[in-house]
Amino acid sequence: MSEKDISKTVIKRLPRYYRYLGELMDSKVERISSGELSERMHVTASQIRQDLNHFGGFGQQGYGYNVEYLYDEIGKILGLDKKHNMVIIGAGNLGQALANYGNFENRGFITKALFDENPELKGKKIRGIQVRSMSQLERYLKKEDIQIVALAIPKESAVVVAQRVVNCGVKAIWNFAHTDLNVPEDVVVENVHLSESLMRLSYNINRYELEHGIKKEEE
Amino acid sequence: MSEKDISKTVIKRLPRYYRYLGELMDSKVERISSGELSERMHVTASQIRQDLNHFGGFGQQGYGYNVEYLYDEIGKILGLDKKHNMVIIGAGNLGQALANYGNFENRGFITKALFDENPELKGKKIRGIQVRSMSQLERYLKKEDIQIVALAIPKESAVVVAQRVVNCGVKAIWNFAHTDLNVPEDVVVENVHLSESLMRLSYNINRYELEHGIKKEEE
DNA sequence: TAGATTGTTAATCGATTAACAATC
DNA sequence: TAGATTGTTAATCGATTAACAATC
């Protein structure tokens, strides 16, 4: 029951706490108060304490939080203490970029294979990870213990392939295709819609120009 | 003044509306009611109407919304009716993936150049776009009319390079480095933190397992 | 006109911030 | 002990949903 209904807004912030705590560890900081952390992260101290207390009392009155302890605890909440096997579907630039990003491994995300429909890529190795043929996908997923499938393919194929991997029992999809996937509700999907991200940037550029271009007189 | 203080939560949803409307256009749908759209998008009709009415009354009572008109209007709100020149810093897999994604161009985002510190990449062309030397960055940014800089480089360099491009007057950064950038407040930053995205996925996997696998003697 | 559906106001719900007693 | 800072409750603020009159 504990972590049952914690809101998405809180969860969204956890990885950022985790990142800042990691940086604090790198710079040998042993303890930190919600006040100090709030200054660094540009959020309120109140929010930090409120967020953390959803999961338990990790601090100590009069002292603050032990950086390493809190880092580890948030890691556990995020499931980073467990290994997750991943395959990447699509060995184009994006798929290769993901495969090359060794840092995921430090967080427990192990890329076991890439898949691509292009026969020319078959057998190629990226950071030692083999590119396999799409025809072997089902066999591979059933044989190996894969928790995460990253989809780095165009949207048309993504919808079809998502169906295929769900049929193999995969419960988590990291979706880079520019479309929403329709999957059963026990399958979790994390979308990375780059074009939407770029549009938000564009909106803010636009807004800035309207505000200032028009408000010209000053300065 | 009108679009002055529209909340981030509304803005975040606009690109998704835009995407769905584009799909409707592709399938020759001419008009749609908030009710129908809400079913497709899995949001409430009330929210759709509320969101759109922040920007103006785009619909018509008894009729609904004209798909193409609404698509265009949202495009204008997002600034997609204007051309944006972009350069990508870092011509590794991720930078190349961004350069290769031709679809951004359809939305008005034109990639004019890539930059990389690796001399071996210098002069290479990706989809016809040249990779240039980092030493030419300042000169290039000042000469060409660049609105957006995408940072596809490691976090250490990202902080330094962000400073450099801000000094050249760039007002928008699309940041793929796993760090927050400290920039003046008139510079807009859109972060794409892939590792945080992966951690959120991990959290949800974890939560699902706790809930189902271990539905042991509760309390 | 009658039916449909918006635009908009009002009600509810949830998230953030403030405040402070508990306690290290 | 005195000072610091948490954990937690209460107050505020904002976002979502419901409801319905306006109107095409």
Side-chain angles (χ1 to χ4, degrees), chain A residues 4 11 16 19-20 77-78 82 93 97 100-101 174 178 180 190 196-197 200 202-203 206-207, chain B residues 4 11 16 19-20 77-78 82 93 97 100-101 174 178 180 190 194 196-197 202-203 206-207:
Chain A
K4 189 81 187 283
I11 303 310
R16 189 158 177 265
R19 176 154 56 83
Y20 273 81
I77 294 165
L78 291 169
K82 304 194 182 94
N93 288 119
N100 270 315
Y101 195 66
W174 199 16
H178 300 190
D180 293 336
E190 168 78 19
E196 297 189 8
S197 172
R200 282 193 289 274
S202 169
Y203 172 85
N206 202 30
R207 211 173 78 73
Chain B
K4 188 80 186 285
I11 303 310
R16 190 158 177 265
R19 176 155 54 83
Y20 272 82
I77 294 166
L78 291 170
K82 304 195 180 93
N93 288 120
N100 270 316
Y101 195 66
W174 198 17
H178 300 191
D180 294 336
E190 170 79 19
L194 294 185
E196 297 189 8
S197 172
S202 170
Y203 172 85
N206 201 32
R207 211 174 80 73

Side-chain angles (χ1 to χ4, degrees), chain A residues 3 14 55 73-84 109 147-148 171-172 188, chain B residues 198-214:
Chain A
E3 295 179 18
L14 289 183
F55 303 96
E73 289 299 314
I74 295 180
K76 281 184 213 162
I77 294 165
L78 291 169
L80 306 180
D81 55 334
K82 304 194 182 94
K83 291 258 175 294
H84 295 283
F109 303 100
Q147 282 88 51
I148 301 174
K171 297 289 185 224
V188 298
Chain B
L198 190 49
M199 289 183 206
R200 283 192 289 274
L201 183 59
S202 170
Y203 172 85
N204 286 310
I205 295 171
N206 201 32
R207 211 174 80 73
Y208 179 82
E209 282 172 2
L210 289 175
E211 241 171 69
H212 290 72
I214 313 159

Side-chain angles (χ1 to χ4, degrees), chain A residues 155-174:
Chain A
K155 59 173 189 267
E156 297 77 14
S157 357
V159 174
V160 182
V161 173
Q163 189 60 56
R164 285 172 64 185
V165 303
V166 164
N167 287 345
C168 293
V170 168
K171 297 289 185 224
I173 297 177
W174 199 16

Side-chain angles (χ1 to χ4, degrees), chain B residues 144-210:
Chain B
E144 309 290 325
D145 181 34
I146 302 299
Q147 282 87 50
I148 301 174
V149 169
L151 293 180
I153 48 180
K155 60 170 186 266
E156 297 78 13
S157 358
V159 173
V160 181
V161 173
Q163 188 60 57
R164 284 172 63 184
V165 304
V166 164
N167 286 344
C168 292
V170 168
K171 296 291 184 222
I173 297 177
W174 198 17
N175 177 38
F176 289 81
H178 300 191
T179 185
D180 294 336
L181 301 175
N182 245 349
V183 295
E185 65 165 50
D186 65 336
V187 177
V188 298
V189 176
E190 170 79 19
N191 289 307
V192 180
H193 290 320
L194 294 185
S195 60
E196 297 189 8
S197 172
L198 190 49
M199 289 183 206
R200 283 192 289 274
L201 183 59
S202 170
Y203 172 85
N204 286 310
I205 295 171
N206 201 32
R207 211 174 80 73
Y208 179 82
E209 282 172 2
L210 289 175

Side-chain angles (χ1 to χ4, degrees), chain B residues 1-15:
Chain B
M1 167 135 197
S2 63
E3 296 179 20
K4 188 80 186 285
D5 34 17
I6 290 165
S7 78
K8 271 192 172 181
T9 57
V10 176
I11 303 310
K12 274 232 301 280
R13 286 191 289 262
L14 289 182

